[in-house]
Amino acid sequence: MSTARRRTRQRAAVEDLLTGIDEFRTAQQIHALLQASGERVGLTTVYRSLALMAQAGQVDVLLAEDGEARYRACSSGHHHHLVCRECGSTVEVTATPVERWARTIAEQNGFTDVSHTVEIQGLCEACSM
Amino acid sequence: MSTARRRTRQRAAVEDLLTGIDEFRTAQQIHALLQASGERVGLTTVYRSLALMAQAGQVDVLLAEDGEARYRACSSGHHHHLVCRECGSTVEVTATPVERWARTIAEQNGFTDVSHTVEIQGLCEACSM
DNA sequence: CTGTATGCAAACATTTTGCATAAGC
DNA sequence: GCTTATGCAAAATGTTTGCATACAG
């Protein structure tokens, strides 16, 4: 039953790349970056590694408006993102007041088993110049 | 330059169907429902109609975790949704405190031109029984 | 009549899967 | 050596587009 994860070159490559970037990147971008840096990793493997990491909570997944998923290495624990529309750079933020608000609203409407999605988009300082 | 929208049978069919439902539905579901009700409308047209309506603010679009877009006729004006994970039924909510919070957080981090995404998921009363 | 709308089929893009091979433990 | 991981090619999915035809104004 234990997932018995194996440490392979390609898996490590994905992890290493991801920890070196603090912006959200698509699976295909990550694949391209690996190729560019000389690592030979199949696109399939990139997808599979990202899926595993996401499940393990090692990366955060964001669904963009064009339906493409974007990945980023993130601190564990519950948090939300302030993302730059232009360059994809990210600030992790906590939203304690929002958490409370969400729960209250949900309860008032008879909803249970509540979760939520909060995200702020904008232009970061560098990109707004 | 004016878009000169034309009133066609199929366009009306999509609008009518949508106003009769208060749950989020995918384009393909909408297409299937139209077929089932005897209306002959191409899937392409459904997509095109929904895109137009979304642009005009007549429907709200939601991107699900599986990358599928979901549509729903909505009140105009800025609002957010409390959605049932199970049946897709929806309650529109306003989030004034959250708006303020989002703006503040963004400003504190030097972000401008701010927008946000807020959504609450849960199980509605009917589905939690 | 002129130009927008439709619908089919084909194109597209992203992600997933089947299966044989390679490799970790 | 048993089992998981990889990688290619092919499939699956959701959506968009080219183009000839139909129809609204």
PDB file of all heavy atoms in Angstrom, chain A residues 63 85 95 98 101 110-125, chain B residues 85 95 98 101 110-125:
ATOM      1  N   LEU A  63      -4.924  26.812 -12.151  1.00  0.00           N
ATOM      2  CA  LEU A  63      -5.519  26.639 -13.467  1.00  0.00           C
ATOM      3  C   LEU A  63      -5.757  27.980 -14.115  1.00  0.00           C
ATOM      4  O   LEU A  63      -6.576  28.768 -13.662  1.00  0.00           O
ATOM      5  CB  LEU A  63      -6.820  25.861 -13.349  1.00  0.00           C
ATOM      6  CG  LEU A  63      -6.570  24.439 -12.859  1.00  0.00           C
ATOM      7  CD1 LEU A  63      -7.095  24.288 -11.447  1.00  0.00           C
ATOM      8  CD2 LEU A  63      -7.172  23.438 -13.807  1.00  0.00           C
ATOM      9  N   ARG A  85       0.163  38.940 -13.315  1.00  0.00           N
ATOM     10  CA  ARG A  85      -0.455  38.580 -14.595  1.00  0.00           C
ATOM     11  C   ARG A  85       0.584  38.502 -15.701  1.00  0.00           C
ATOM     12  O   ARG A  85       0.418  37.781 -16.682  1.00  0.00           O
ATOM     13  CB  ARG A  85      -1.440  39.682 -14.962  1.00  0.00           C
ATOM     14  CG  ARG A  85      -2.859  39.253 -15.228  1.00  0.00           C
ATOM     15  CD  ARG A  85      -3.641  40.389 -15.852  1.00  0.00           C
ATOM     16  NE  ARG A  85      -3.613  41.616 -15.052  1.00  0.00           N
ATOM     17  CZ  ARG A  85      -4.424  41.860 -14.017  1.00  0.00           C
ATOM     18  NH1 ARG A  85      -5.306  40.960 -13.662  1.00  0.00           N
ATOM     19  NH2 ARG A  85      -4.349  42.998 -13.348  1.00  0.00           N
ATOM     20  N   ALA A  95      -4.773  34.129   4.388  1.00  0.00           N
ATOM     21  CA  ALA A  95      -6.022  34.876   4.276  1.00  0.00           C
ATOM     22  C   ALA A  95      -6.983  34.520   5.397  1.00  0.00           C
ATOM     23  O   ALA A  95      -8.140  34.195   5.174  1.00  0.00           O
ATOM     24  CB  ALA A  95      -6.657  34.582   2.925  1.00  0.00           C
ATOM     25  N   VAL A  98     -10.432  35.847   5.326  1.00  0.00           N
ATOM     26  CA  VAL A  98     -11.225  35.289   4.240  1.00  0.00           C
ATOM     27  C   VAL A  98     -11.714  33.883   4.584  1.00  0.00           C
ATOM     28  O   VAL A  98     -12.845  33.511   4.279  1.00  0.00           O
ATOM     29  CB  VAL A  98     -10.415  35.261   2.935  1.00  0.00           C
ATOM     30  CG1 VAL A  98     -11.233  34.645   1.815  1.00  0.00           C
ATOM     31  CG2 VAL A  98      -9.985  36.666   2.561  1.00  0.00           C
ATOM     32  N   TRP A 101     -14.666  34.267   6.735  1.00  0.00           N
ATOM     33  CA  TRP A 101     -15.797  34.757   5.948  1.00  0.00           C
ATOM     34  C   TRP A 101     -16.411  33.635   5.118  1.00  0.00           C
ATOM     35  O   TRP A 101     -17.626  33.458   5.087  1.00  0.00           O
ATOM     36  CB  TRP A 101     -15.306  35.895   5.039  1.00  0.00           C
ATOM     37  CG  TRP A 101     -16.272  36.270   3.967  1.00  0.00           C
ATOM     38  CD1 TRP A 101     -17.330  37.133   4.091  1.00  0.00           C
ATOM     39  CD2 TRP A 101     -16.292  35.799   2.621  1.00  0.00           C
ATOM     40  NE1 TRP A 101     -17.998  37.204   2.904  1.00  0.00           N
ATOM     41  CE2 TRP A 101     -17.390  36.400   1.984  1.00  0.00           C
ATOM     42  CE3 TRP A 101     -15.492  34.910   1.899  1.00  0.00           C
ATOM     43  CZ2 TRP A 101     -17.704  36.156   0.645  1.00  0.00           C
ATOM     44  CZ3 TRP A 101     -15.798  34.665   0.573  1.00  0.00           C
ATOM     45  CH2 TRP A 101     -16.892  35.277  -0.041  1.00  0.00           C
ATOM     46  N   GLY A 110     -26.486  26.805   4.334  1.00  0.00           N
ATOM     47  CA  GLY A 110     -26.709  25.378   4.516  1.00  0.00           C
ATOM     48  C   GLY A 110     -25.673  24.484   3.856  1.00  0.00           C
ATOM     49  O   GLY A 110     -25.905  23.299   3.678  1.00  0.00           O
ATOM     50  N   PHE A 111     -24.558  25.058   3.476  1.00  0.00           N
ATOM     51  CA  PHE A 111     -23.510  24.242   2.851  1.00  0.00           C
ATOM     52  C   PHE A 111     -22.582  23.665   3.903  1.00  0.00           C
ATOM     53  O   PHE A 111     -22.256  24.330   4.894  1.00  0.00           O
ATOM     54  CB  PHE A 111     -22.686  25.085   1.873  1.00  0.00           C
ATOM     55  CG  PHE A 111     -23.322  25.237   0.517  1.00  0.00           C
ATOM     56  CD1 PHE A 111     -24.558  25.865   0.370  1.00  0.00           C
ATOM     57  CD2 PHE A 111     -22.693  24.747  -0.621  1.00  0.00           C
ATOM     58  CE1 PHE A 111     -25.144  26.011  -0.880  1.00  0.00           C
ATOM     59  CE2 PHE A 111     -23.277  24.886  -1.877  1.00  0.00           C
ATOM     60  CZ  PHE A 111     -24.504  25.521  -2.004  1.00  0.00           C
ATOM     61  N   THR A 112     -22.146  22.443   3.675  1.00  0.00           N
ATOM     62  CA  THR A 112     -21.200  21.808   4.586  1.00  0.00           C
ATOM     63  C   THR A 112     -19.975  21.357   3.809  1.00  0.00           C
ATOM     64  O   THR A 112     -19.953  21.419   2.585  1.00  0.00           O
ATOM     65  CB  THR A 112     -21.830  20.570   5.245  1.00  0.00           C
ATOM     66  OG1 THR A 112     -22.345  19.721   4.223  1.00  0.00           O
ATOM     67  CG2 THR A 112     -22.942  20.962   6.176  1.00  0.00           C
ATOM     68  N   ASP A 113     -18.971  20.868   4.534  1.00  0.00           N
ATOM     69  CA  ASP A 113     -17.785  20.331   3.900  1.00  0.00           C
ATOM     70  C   ASP A 113     -17.160  21.392   2.985  1.00  0.00           C
ATOM     71  O   ASP A 113     -16.918  21.165   1.805  1.00  0.00           O
ATOM     72  CB  ASP A 113     -18.178  19.088   3.080  1.00  0.00           C
ATOM     73  CG  ASP A 113     -16.980  18.206   2.784  1.00  0.00           C
ATOM     74  OD1 ASP A 113     -15.892  18.507   3.303  1.00  0.00           O
ATOM     75  OD2 ASP A 113     -17.140  17.248   2.010  1.00  0.00           O
ATOM     76  N   VAL A 114     -16.914  22.533   3.558  1.00  0.00           N
ATOM     77  CA  VAL A 114     -16.545  23.724   2.791  1.00  0.00           C
ATOM     78  C   VAL A 114     -15.057  23.823   2.481  1.00  0.00           C
ATOM     79  O   VAL A 114     -14.217  23.537   3.317  1.00  0.00           O
ATOM     80  CB  VAL A 114     -16.942  24.989   3.575  1.00  0.00           C
ATOM     81  CG1 VAL A 114     -16.620  26.217   2.766  1.00  0.00           C
ATOM     82  CG2 VAL A 114     -18.411  24.930   3.932  1.00  0.00           C
ATOM     83  N   SER A 115     -14.759  24.189   1.261  1.00  0.00           N
ATOM     84  CA  SER A 115     -13.401  24.569   0.903  1.00  0.00           C
ATOM     85  C   SER A 115     -13.507  25.819   0.032  1.00  0.00           C
ATOM     86  O   SER A 115     -14.603  26.209  -0.347  1.00  0.00           O
ATOM     87  CB  SER A 115     -12.712  23.447   0.136  1.00  0.00           C
ATOM     88  OG  SER A 115     -13.366  23.230  -1.089  1.00  0.00           O
ATOM     89  N   HIS A 116     -12.379  26.401  -0.302  1.00  0.00           N
ATOM     90  CA  HIS A 116     -12.486  27.634  -1.079  1.00  0.00           C
ATOM     91  C   HIS A 116     -11.278  27.884  -1.956  1.00  0.00           C
ATOM     92  O   HIS A 116     -10.231  27.251  -1.797  1.00  0.00           O
ATOM     93  CB  HIS A 116     -12.703  28.822  -0.152  1.00  0.00           C
ATOM     94  CG  HIS A 116     -11.589  28.991   0.819  1.00  0.00           C
ATOM     95  ND1 HIS A 116     -11.606  28.404   2.059  1.00  0.00           N
ATOM     96  CD2 HIS A 116     -10.420  29.653   0.738  1.00  0.00           C
ATOM     97  CE1 HIS A 116     -10.490  28.703   2.687  1.00  0.00           C
ATOM     98  NE2 HIS A 116      -9.747  29.448   1.914  1.00  0.00           N
ATOM     99  N   THR A 117     -11.445  28.781  -2.861  1.00  0.00           N
ATOM    100  CA  THR A 117     -10.400  29.159  -3.795  1.00  0.00           C
ATOM    101  C   THR A 117     -10.288  30.673  -3.760  1.00  0.00           C
ATOM    102  O   THR A 117     -11.265  31.364  -3.980  1.00  0.00           O
ATOM    103  CB  THR A 117     -10.784  28.755  -5.230  1.00  0.00           C
ATOM    104  OG1 THR A 117     -11.144  27.384  -5.230  1.00  0.00           O
ATOM    105  CG2 THR A 117      -9.647  29.006  -6.188  1.00  0.00           C
ATOM    106  N   VAL A 118      -9.117  31.151  -3.460  1.00  0.00           N
ATOM    107  CA  VAL A 118      -8.901  32.591  -3.436  1.00  0.00           C
ATOM    108  C   VAL A 118      -7.606  32.891  -4.165  1.00  0.00           C
ATOM    109  O   VAL A 118      -6.602  32.217  -3.956  1.00  0.00           O
ATOM    110  CB  VAL A 118      -8.783  33.133  -1.995  1.00  0.00           C
ATOM    111  CG1 VAL A 118      -8.460  34.607  -2.011  1.00  0.00           C
ATOM    112  CG2 VAL A 118     -10.064  32.879  -1.232  1.00  0.00           C
ATOM    113  N   GLU A 119      -7.653  33.849  -5.027  1.00  0.00           N
ATOM    114  CA  GLU A 119      -6.448  34.210  -5.743  1.00  0.00           C
ATOM    115  C   GLU A 119      -6.511  35.678  -6.147  1.00  0.00           C
ATOM    116  O   GLU A 119      -7.560  36.167  -6.538  1.00  0.00           O
ATOM    117  CB  GLU A 119      -6.335  33.349  -6.986  1.00  0.00           C
ATOM    118  CG  GLU A 119      -4.959  33.284  -7.547  1.00  0.00           C
ATOM    119  CD  GLU A 119      -5.020  32.632  -8.900  1.00  0.00           C
ATOM    120  OE1 GLU A 119      -5.669  31.572  -9.026  1.00  0.00           O
ATOM    121  OE2 GLU A 119      -4.450  33.201  -9.833  1.00  0.00           O
ATOM    122  N   ILE A 120      -5.382  36.350  -6.016  1.00  0.00           N
ATOM    123  CA  ILE A 120      -5.345  37.755  -6.400  1.00  0.00           C
ATOM    124  C   ILE A 120      -4.406  37.903  -7.584  1.00  0.00           C
ATOM    125  O   ILE A 120      -3.293  37.399  -7.565  1.00  0.00           O
ATOM    126  CB  ILE A 120      -4.849  38.641  -5.244  1.00  0.00           C
ATOM    127  CG1 ILE A 120      -5.516  38.223  -3.939  1.00  0.00           C
ATOM    128  CG2 ILE A 120      -5.108  40.104  -5.547  1.00  0.00           C
ATOM    129  CD1 ILE A 120      -5.116  39.072  -2.761  1.00  0.00           C
ATOM    130  N   GLN A 121      -4.892  38.551  -8.611  1.00  0.00           N
ATOM    131  CA  GLN A 121      -4.041  38.819  -9.776  1.00  0.00           C
ATOM    132  C   GLN A 121      -3.748  40.310  -9.858  1.00  0.00           C
ATOM    133  O   GLN A 121      -4.573  41.131  -9.494  1.00  0.00           O
ATOM    134  CB  GLN A 121      -4.749  38.400 -11.074  1.00  0.00           C
ATOM    135  CG  GLN A 121      -5.045  36.918 -11.189  1.00  0.00           C
ATOM    136  CD  GLN A 121      -6.473  36.601 -10.780  1.00  0.00           C
ATOM    137  OE1 GLN A 121      -7.264  37.489 -10.555  1.00  0.00           O
ATOM    138  NE2 GLN A 121      -6.795  35.318 -10.702  1.00  0.00           N
ATOM    139  N   GLY A 122      -2.575  40.627 -10.371  1.00  0.00           N
ATOM    140  CA  GLY A 122      -2.234  42.028 -10.540  1.00  0.00           C
ATOM    141  C   GLY A 122      -0.948  42.171 -11.316  1.00  0.00           C
ATOM    142  O   GLY A 122      -0.458  41.206 -11.911  1.00  0.00           O
ATOM    143  N   LEU A 123      -0.440  43.369 -11.328  1.00  0.00           N
ATOM    144  CA  LEU A 123       0.841  43.616 -11.983  1.00  0.00           C
ATOM    145  C   LEU A 123       1.867  43.903 -10.901  1.00  0.00           C
ATOM    146  O   LEU A 123       1.683  44.814 -10.098  1.00  0.00           O
ATOM    147  CB  LEU A 123       0.736  44.817 -12.913  1.00  0.00           C
ATOM    148  CG  LEU A 123       0.178  44.530 -14.305  1.00  0.00           C
ATOM    149  CD1 LEU A 123      -0.037  45.841 -15.070  1.00  0.00           C
ATOM    150  CD2 LEU A 123       1.114  43.615 -15.066  1.00  0.00           C
ATOM    151  N   CYS A 124       2.955  43.145 -10.898  1.00  0.00           N
ATOM    152  CA  CYS A 124       3.950  43.364  -9.860  1.00  0.00           C
ATOM    153  C   CYS A 124       4.745  44.634 -10.162  1.00  0.00           C
ATOM    154  O   CYS A 124       4.682  45.167 -11.266  1.00  0.00           O
ATOM    155  CB  CYS A 124       4.881  42.165  -9.738  1.00  0.00           C
ATOM    156  SG  CYS A 124       6.099  42.044 -11.049  1.00  0.00           S
ATOM    157  N   GLU A 125       5.483  45.076  -9.188  1.00  0.00           N
ATOM    158  CA  GLU A 125       6.201  46.332  -9.297  1.00  0.00           C
ATOM    159  C   GLU A 125       7.066  46.378 -10.558  1.00  0.00           C
ATOM    160  O   GLU A 125       7.042  47.338 -11.318  1.00  0.00           O
ATOM    161  CB  GLU A 125       7.075  46.522  -8.053  1.00  0.00           C
ATOM    162  CG  GLU A 125       7.008  47.921  -7.493  1.00  0.00           C
ATOM    163  CD  GLU A 125       7.382  47.935  -6.012  1.00  0.00           C
ATOM    164  OE1 GLU A 125       7.723  46.858  -5.468  1.00  0.00           O
ATOM    165  OE2 GLU A 125       7.316  49.021  -5.405  1.00  0.00           O
TER     166      GLU A 125
ATOM    167  N   ARG B  85     -20.396  21.153  -4.817  1.00  0.00           N
ATOM    168  CA  ARG B  85     -19.471  20.232  -5.465  1.00  0.00           C
ATOM    169  C   ARG B  85     -20.212  19.093  -6.159  1.00  0.00           C
ATOM    170  O   ARG B  85     -19.724  18.519  -7.125  1.00  0.00           O
ATOM    171  CB  ARG B  85     -18.599  19.597  -4.371  1.00  0.00           C
ATOM    172  CG  ARG B  85     -17.115  19.749  -4.541  1.00  0.00           C
ATOM    173  CD  ARG B  85     -16.392  18.850  -3.548  1.00  0.00           C
ATOM    174  NE  ARG B  85     -16.786  19.063  -2.150  1.00  0.00           N
ATOM    175  CZ  ARG B  85     -16.294  20.027  -1.381  1.00  0.00           C
ATOM    176  NH1 ARG B  85     -15.408  20.870  -1.864  1.00  0.00           N
ATOM    177  NH2 ARG B  85     -16.689  20.155  -0.131  1.00  0.00           N
ATOM    178  N   ALA B  95     -18.906  39.818  -1.737  1.00  0.00           N
ATOM    179  CA  ALA B  95     -17.788  39.604  -0.824  1.00  0.00           C
ATOM    180  C   ALA B  95     -17.068  40.903  -0.521  1.00  0.00           C
ATOM    181  O   ALA B  95     -15.854  40.999  -0.623  1.00  0.00           O
ATOM    182  CB  ALA B  95     -16.832  38.597  -1.430  1.00  0.00           C
ATOM    183  N   VAL B  98     -13.932  40.836   1.414  1.00  0.00           N
ATOM    184  CA  VAL B  98     -12.838  40.189   0.700  1.00  0.00           C
ATOM    185  C   VAL B  98     -12.243  41.136  -0.339  1.00  0.00           C
ATOM    186  O   VAL B  98     -11.025  41.184  -0.535  1.00  0.00           O
ATOM    187  CB  VAL B  98     -13.322  38.898   0.014  1.00  0.00           C
ATOM    188  CG1 VAL B  98     -12.189  38.255  -0.764  1.00  0.00           C
ATOM    189  CG2 VAL B  98     -13.860  37.938   1.049  1.00  0.00           C
ATOM    190  N   TRP B 101      -9.920  43.358   1.433  1.00  0.00           N
ATOM    191  CA  TRP B 101      -8.731  42.605   1.850  1.00  0.00           C
ATOM    192  C   TRP B 101      -7.780  42.387   0.677  1.00  0.00           C
ATOM    193  O   TRP B 101      -6.573  42.619   0.780  1.00  0.00           O
ATOM    194  CB  TRP B 101      -9.164  41.261   2.438  1.00  0.00           C
ATOM    195  CG  TRP B 101      -8.054  40.283   2.621  1.00  0.00           C
ATOM    196  CD1 TRP B 101      -7.194  40.203   3.673  1.00  0.00           C
ATOM    197  CD2 TRP B 101      -7.666  39.263   1.703  1.00  0.00           C
ATOM    198  NE1 TRP B 101      -6.297  39.191   3.469  1.00  0.00           N
ATOM    199  CE2 TRP B 101      -6.559  38.597   2.274  1.00  0.00           C
ATOM    200  CE3 TRP B 101      -8.142  38.841   0.451  1.00  0.00           C
ATOM    201  CZ2 TRP B 101      -5.921  37.536   1.641  1.00  0.00           C
ATOM    202  CZ3 TRP B 101      -7.516  37.788  -0.177  1.00  0.00           C
ATOM    203  CH2 TRP B 101      -6.414  37.142   0.406  1.00  0.00           C
ATOM    204  N   GLY B 110       3.102  45.904  -3.531  1.00  0.00           N
ATOM    205  CA  GLY B 110       3.483  46.674  -4.714  1.00  0.00           C
ATOM    206  C   GLY B 110       2.771  46.261  -5.987  1.00  0.00           C
ATOM    207  O   GLY B 110       3.204  46.608  -7.086  1.00  0.00           O
ATOM    208  N   PHE B 111       1.688  45.536  -5.857  1.00  0.00           N
ATOM    209  CA  PHE B 111       0.947  45.129  -7.042  1.00  0.00           C
ATOM    210  C   PHE B 111      -0.105  46.175  -7.398  1.00  0.00           C
ATOM    211  O   PHE B 111      -0.731  46.756  -6.526  1.00  0.00           O
ATOM    212  CB  PHE B 111       0.252  43.787  -6.817  1.00  0.00           C
ATOM    213  CG  PHE B 111       1.150  42.597  -7.030  1.00  0.00           C
ATOM    214  CD1 PHE B 111       2.276  42.408  -6.238  1.00  0.00           C
ATOM    215  CD2 PHE B 111       0.880  41.664  -8.024  1.00  0.00           C
ATOM    216  CE1 PHE B 111       3.100  41.306  -6.422  1.00  0.00           C
ATOM    217  CE2 PHE B 111       1.702  40.561  -8.212  1.00  0.00           C
ATOM    218  CZ  PHE B 111       2.808  40.382  -7.420  1.00  0.00           C
ATOM    219  N   THR B 112      -0.290  46.375  -8.691  1.00  0.00           N
ATOM    220  CA  THR B 112      -1.315  47.312  -9.150  1.00  0.00           C
ATOM    221  C   THR B 112      -2.251  46.595 -10.112  1.00  0.00           C
ATOM    222  O   THR B 112      -2.006  45.463 -10.493  1.00  0.00           O
ATOM    223  CB  THR B 112      -0.670  48.502  -9.885  1.00  0.00           C
ATOM    224  OG1 THR B 112       0.180  47.985 -10.908  1.00  0.00           O
ATOM    225  CG2 THR B 112       0.142  49.347  -8.952  1.00  0.00           C
ATOM    226  N   ASP B 113      -3.300  47.311 -10.511  1.00  0.00           N
ATOM    227  CA  ASP B 113      -4.219  46.756 -11.503  1.00  0.00           C
ATOM    228  C   ASP B 113      -4.758  45.416 -11.010  1.00  0.00           C
ATOM    229  O   ASP B 113      -4.717  44.400 -11.697  1.00  0.00           O
ATOM    230  CB  ASP B 113      -3.463  46.577 -12.829  1.00  0.00           C
ATOM    231  CG  ASP B 113      -4.425  46.466 -14.004  1.00  0.00           C
ATOM    232  OD1 ASP B 113      -5.627  46.658 -13.791  1.00  0.00           O
ATOM    233  OD2 ASP B 113      -3.960  46.176 -15.113  1.00  0.00           O
ATOM    234  N   VAL B 114      -5.305  45.448  -9.832  1.00  0.00           N
ATOM    235  CA  VAL B 114      -5.660  44.232  -9.112  1.00  0.00           C
ATOM    236  C   VAL B 114      -7.040  43.674  -9.470  1.00  0.00           C
ATOM    237  O   VAL B 114      -8.002  44.414  -9.603  1.00  0.00           O
ATOM    238  CB  VAL B 114      -5.646  44.497  -7.593  1.00  0.00           C
ATOM    239  CG1 VAL B 114      -5.955  43.232  -6.831  1.00  0.00           C
ATOM    240  CG2 VAL B 114      -4.308  45.072  -7.176  1.00  0.00           C
ATOM    241  N   SER B 115      -7.098  42.388  -9.622  1.00  0.00           N
ATOM    242  CA  SER B 115      -8.382  41.697  -9.713  1.00  0.00           C
ATOM    243  C   SER B 115      -8.260  40.434  -8.878  1.00  0.00           C
ATOM    244  O   SER B 115      -7.172  40.112  -8.416  1.00  0.00           O
ATOM    245  CB  SER B 115      -8.706  41.338 -11.162  1.00  0.00           C
ATOM    246  OG  SER B 115      -7.761  40.413 -11.647  1.00  0.00           O
ATOM    247  N   HIS B 116      -9.364  39.729  -8.704  1.00  0.00           N
ATOM    248  CA  HIS B 116      -9.249  38.556  -7.854  1.00  0.00           C
ATOM    249  C   HIS B 116     -10.259  37.489  -8.221  1.00  0.00           C
ATOM    250  O   HIS B 116     -11.210  37.711  -8.951  1.00  0.00           O
ATOM    251  CB  HIS B 116      -9.409  38.952  -6.393  1.00  0.00           C
ATOM    252  CG  HIS B 116     -10.736  39.596  -6.130  1.00  0.00           C
ATOM    253  ND1 HIS B 116     -10.916  40.949  -6.212  1.00  0.00           N
ATOM    254  CD2 HIS B 116     -11.934  39.076  -5.828  1.00  0.00           C
ATOM    255  CE1 HIS B 116     -12.174  41.231  -5.953  1.00  0.00           C
ATOM    256  NE2 HIS B 116     -12.824  40.115  -5.725  1.00  0.00           N
ATOM    257  N   THR B 117     -10.022  36.322  -7.688  1.00  0.00           N
ATOM    258  CA  THR B 117     -10.879  35.172  -7.909  1.00  0.00           C
ATOM    259  C   THR B 117     -11.215  34.596  -6.551  1.00  0.00           C
ATOM    260  O   THR B 117     -10.319  34.276  -5.784  1.00  0.00           O
ATOM    261  CB  THR B 117     -10.122  34.088  -8.703  1.00  0.00           C
ATOM    262  OG1 THR B 117      -9.609  34.689  -9.882  1.00  0.00           O
ATOM    263  CG2 THR B 117     -11.036  32.945  -9.073  1.00  0.00           C
ATOM    264  N   VAL B 118     -12.488  34.502  -6.255  1.00  0.00           N
ATOM    265  CA  VAL B 118     -12.908  33.925  -4.985  1.00  0.00           C
ATOM    266  C   VAL B 118     -14.045  32.966  -5.261  1.00  0.00           C
ATOM    267  O   VAL B 118     -14.955  33.282  -6.016  1.00  0.00           O
ATOM    268  CB  VAL B 118     -13.409  35.009  -4.013  1.00  0.00           C
ATOM    269  CG1 VAL B 118     -13.942  34.368  -2.749  1.00  0.00           C
ATOM    270  CG2 VAL B 118     -12.300  35.988  -3.694  1.00  0.00           C
ATOM    271  N   GLU B 119     -13.955  31.816  -4.676  1.00  0.00           N
ATOM    272  CA  GLU B 119     -15.015  30.849  -4.879  1.00  0.00           C
ATOM    273  C   GLU B 119     -15.091  29.924  -3.690  1.00  0.00           C
ATOM    274  O   GLU B 119     -14.063  29.523  -3.145  1.00  0.00           O
ATOM    275  CB  GLU B 119     -14.717  30.048  -6.144  1.00  0.00           C
ATOM    276  CG  GLU B 119     -15.912  29.364  -6.710  1.00  0.00           C
ATOM    277  CD  GLU B 119     -15.452  28.394  -7.774  1.00  0.00           C
ATOM    278  OE1 GLU B 119     -14.630  28.784  -8.622  1.00  0.00           O
ATOM    279  OE2 GLU B 119     -15.890  27.248  -7.721  1.00  0.00           O
ATOM    280  N   ILE B 120     -16.290  29.610  -3.287  1.00  0.00           N
ATOM    281  CA  ILE B 120     -16.460  28.697  -2.165  1.00  0.00           C
ATOM    282  C   ILE B 120     -17.131  27.429  -2.661  1.00  0.00           C
ATOM    283  O   ILE B 120     -18.132  27.490  -3.371  1.00  0.00           O
ATOM    284  CB  ILE B 120     -17.334  29.320  -1.060  1.00  0.00           C
ATOM    285  CG1 ILE B 120     -16.908  30.770  -0.819  1.00  0.00           C
ATOM    286  CG2 ILE B 120     -17.234  28.513   0.213  1.00  0.00           C
ATOM    287  CD1 ILE B 120     -17.699  31.452   0.278  1.00  0.00           C
ATOM    288  N   GLN B 121     -16.528  26.298  -2.323  1.00  0.00           N
ATOM    289  CA  GLN B 121     -17.122  25.018  -2.705  1.00  0.00           C
ATOM    290  C   GLN B 121     -17.618  24.302  -1.456  1.00  0.00           C
ATOM    291  O   GLN B 121     -17.037  24.443  -0.395  1.00  0.00           O
ATOM    292  CB  GLN B 121     -16.085  24.112  -3.389  1.00  0.00           C
ATOM    293  CG  GLN B 121     -15.564  24.633  -4.706  1.00  0.00           C
ATOM    294  CD  GLN B 121     -14.225  25.345  -4.533  1.00  0.00           C
ATOM    295  OE1 GLN B 121     -13.625  25.281  -3.462  1.00  0.00           O
ATOM    296  NE2 GLN B 121     -13.772  26.019  -5.564  1.00  0.00           N
ATOM    297  N   GLY B 122     -18.687  23.544  -1.621  1.00  0.00           N
ATOM    298  CA  GLY B 122     -19.188  22.786  -0.496  1.00  0.00           C
ATOM    299  C   GLY B 122     -20.273  21.838  -0.933  1.00  0.00           C
ATOM    300  O   GLY B 122     -20.455  21.610  -2.124  1.00  0.00           O
ATOM    301  N   LEU B 123     -20.955  21.267   0.033  1.00  0.00           N
ATOM    302  CA  LEU B 123     -22.079  20.390  -0.265  1.00  0.00           C
ATOM    303  C   LEU B 123     -23.349  21.107   0.156  1.00  0.00           C
ATOM    304  O   LEU B 123     -23.485  21.504   1.315  1.00  0.00           O
ATOM    305  CB  LEU B 123     -21.944  19.075   0.517  1.00  0.00           C
ATOM    306  CG  LEU B 123     -21.058  18.010  -0.117  1.00  0.00           C
ATOM    307  CD1 LEU B 123     -20.884  16.841   0.832  1.00  0.00           C
ATOM    308  CD2 LEU B 123     -21.650  17.542  -1.436  1.00  0.00           C
ATOM    309  N   CYS B 124     -24.276  21.259  -0.776  1.00  0.00           N
ATOM    310  CA  CYS B 124     -25.507  21.959  -0.432  1.00  0.00           C
ATOM    311  C   CYS B 124     -26.385  21.055   0.424  1.00  0.00           C
ATOM    312  O   CYS B 124     -26.156  19.854   0.527  1.00  0.00           O
ATOM    313  CB  CYS B 124     -26.243  22.411  -1.682  1.00  0.00           C
ATOM    314  SG  CYS B 124     -27.098  21.106  -2.549  1.00  0.00           S
ATOM    315  N   GLU B 125     -27.399  21.666   1.008  1.00  0.00           N
ATOM    316  CA  GLU B 125     -28.256  20.956   1.945  1.00  0.00           C
ATOM    317  C   GLU B 125     -28.815  19.667   1.327  1.00  0.00           C
ATOM    318  O   GLU B 125     -28.779  18.600   1.928  1.00  0.00           O
ATOM    319  CB  GLU B 125     -29.414  21.868   2.372  1.00  0.00           C
ATOM    320  CG  GLU B 125     -29.682  21.824   3.850  1.00  0.00           C
ATOM    321  CD  GLU B 125     -30.355  23.112   4.328  1.00  0.00           C
ATOM    322  OE1 GLU B 125     -30.641  23.986   3.485  1.00  0.00           O
ATOM    323  OE2 GLU B 125     -30.599  23.231   5.547  1.00  0.00           O
TER     324      GLU B 125
END
